[in-house]
Amino acid sequence: MDRLQSMAVFVKAADSGSFSAAGAALGISSQMAGKHVSALEQQLGVKLLNRTTRRQHLTEVGQQYYERCKRVLAEVEAADALALNHALAPRGRLRISAPVTYGNYCLIPVLGRYLRRNPQVKVELSLNDRIVDLVDEGFDAVIRIGRLSDSTLVARPLAPYRLIACAAPAYLATHGTPRTPDDLAGHHCLGYNAWPSPVTQEWELLGGENLQRLAQDSRLQINDARAQRTAACEGLGIILGSEMMLADDLRLGRLVQLFPQLKAPQRQVHLLYARDPRMAPKLRSFVDQAVAELEHTPASQP
């Protein structure tokens, strides 16, 4: 018989004064209650209860065992409550990886609201433009941009992102304003070299349904989108960058959008995590919030 169950029956029998009362309280027969106590006595090699036809009472060792059993059962109950609480409430460390610009302009605001809602969760956010391995590097979830390879991971689609071409007024005053993508030949185009070829070798723009791929031989290659934005604002060249990242610069006149009739093809954005029917509450709550907030919000990334 299960030792903890037998201990619970023994304590209940001692408290209630009979096997029948203990059995009724625990949903078992009086005979089964008696068997549990007898099994304990046999395992321990001592008598715990003196029984008569009318009453039963604890032996001296039974009294001591009873006190210890109550403490053990209370600890078990507390441990079960702790585990149940962990199963229901998001808590613990949540490790997330995302591309640098996406993390700064899209994910950070979501994480701020998530942390306020879940005060017992600690988030470790790693911003990196390389493709990380979720399992080998110990991440709970990763944001991935671009076409996905075959994987056993769960992939939840988020809103795609858009790119726009911009330049500073000072640059345009010096070098002229290109009116079509073909006019970019001879202009200083700022290169983004954090991603592997061919992304960094071509700019893609859509005119209606027509895709134009424009080779760009950049004099200035930068591996950080925010530094690239600073370079554009300083008049060092034309940037093809995140619409969300450049919005304030456009509004304040630090940059001017080029080719407003064109747009870059939208790139896929996915939230990835391991398939697990017993997903931890901290991850489940993050996935639910991230998908709810980012599924329809236009996202951007250079």
Side-chain angles (χ1 to χ4, degrees):
M1 290 185 176
D2 181 77
R3 175 67 69 90
L4 283 176
Q5 185 181 6
S6 295
M7 291 169 68
V9 173
F10 166 65
V11 169
K12 185 62 70 175
D15 288 339
S16 61
S18 70
F19 290 144
S20 59
L26 297 173
I28 59 177
S29 67
S30 59
Q31 292 82 3
M32 181 56 69
K35 287 182 179 179
H36 275 287
V37 174
S38 295
L40 278 179
E41 292 176 329
Q42 185 175 0
Q43 290 169 348
L44 297 171
V46 296
K47 198 160 190 65
L48 299 174
L49 286 170
N50 284 321
R51 309 169 183 83
T52 67
T53 55
R54 292 187 175 183
R55 57 188 296 268
Q56 60 187 30
H57 62 273
L58 291 166
T59 64
E60 181 179 359
V61 69
Q63 180 66 45
Q64 295 173 354
Y65 190 68
Y66 166 81
E67 297 295 340
R68 295 293 181 92
C69 284
K70 287 185 67 174
R71 288 199 290 271
V72 168
L73 293 171
E75 286 295 325
V76 170
E77 185 177 354
D80 287 347
L82 180 64
L84 181 61
N85 191 32
H86 270 281
L88 297 176
R91 66 175 68 229
R93 184 181 67 163
L94 186 67
R95 299 194 69 229
I96 303 168
S97 174
V100 176
T101 306
Y102 189 95
N104 274 283
Y105 291 92
C106 297
L107 190 56
I108 287 291
V110 175
L111 285 177
R113 291 183 286 273
Y114 173 80
L115 287 170
R116 286 191 289 272
R117 293 177 186 175
N118 301 281
Q120 298 184 76
V121 177
K122 295 181 179 180
V123 172
E124 290 184 9
L125 175 62
S126 174
L127 298 182
N128 199 312
D129 286 328
R130 69 179 177 84
I131 295 181
V132 303
D133 188 300
L134 180 145
V135 176
D136 287 349
E137 298 183 47
F139 289 104
D140 296 291
V142 300
I143 302 287
R144 191 151 297 165
I145 295 181
R147 195 168 300 170
L148 295 177
S149 58
D150 292 338
S151 171
T152 59
L153 300 175
V154 178
R156 299 290 296 275
L158 305 178
Y161 67 87
R162 295 190 296 266
L163 305 172
I164 55 175
C166 300
Y171 174 89
L172 298 177
T174 302
H175 299 279
T177 301
R179 301 298 175 186
T180 69
D182 291 333
D183 295 339
L184 288 175
H187 275 276
H188 301 308
C189 295
L190 297 173
Y192 184 71
N193 62 2
W195 285 4
S197 179
V199 174
T200 56
Q201 301 303 314
E202 294 181 332
W203 283 6
E204 294 182 344
L205 294 168
L206 281 174
E209 297 300 321
N210 299 317
L211 175 66
Q212 293 179 268
R213 287 190 172 92
L214 307 169
Q216 43 95 9
D217 184 16
S218 303
R219 293 183 60 204
L220 179 58
Q221 295 273 345
I222 304 176
N223 70 345
D224 181 86
R226 290 167 296 180
Q228 192 186 38
R229 165 185 166 270
T230 300
C233 291
E234 291 293 323
L236 299 183
I238 298 172
I239 183 174
L240 182 66
S242 155
E243 183 179 43
M244 182 176 293
M245 180 181 70
L246 302 176
D248 285 344
D249 297 315
L250 292 171
R251 180 174 56 82
L252 296 173
R254 291 191 290 257
L255 293 176
V256 176
Q257 184 176 354
L258 305 177
F259 325 127
Q261 75 280 12
L262 304 180
K263 62 179 181 179
Q266 293 185 340
R267 291 179 182 153
Q268 299 173 334
V269 182
H270 288 90
L271 173 61
L272 305 180
Y273 53 93
R275 192 178 304 276
D276 184 356
R278 299 175 302 279
M279 187 189 301
K282 62 181 180 180
L283 178 57
R284 184 179 300 280
S285 57
F286 168 73
V287 168
D288 290 345
Q289 182 168 336
V291 170
E293 295 196 32
L294 297 173
E295 189 175 25
H296 302 295
T297 302
S300 316
Q301 169 78 24

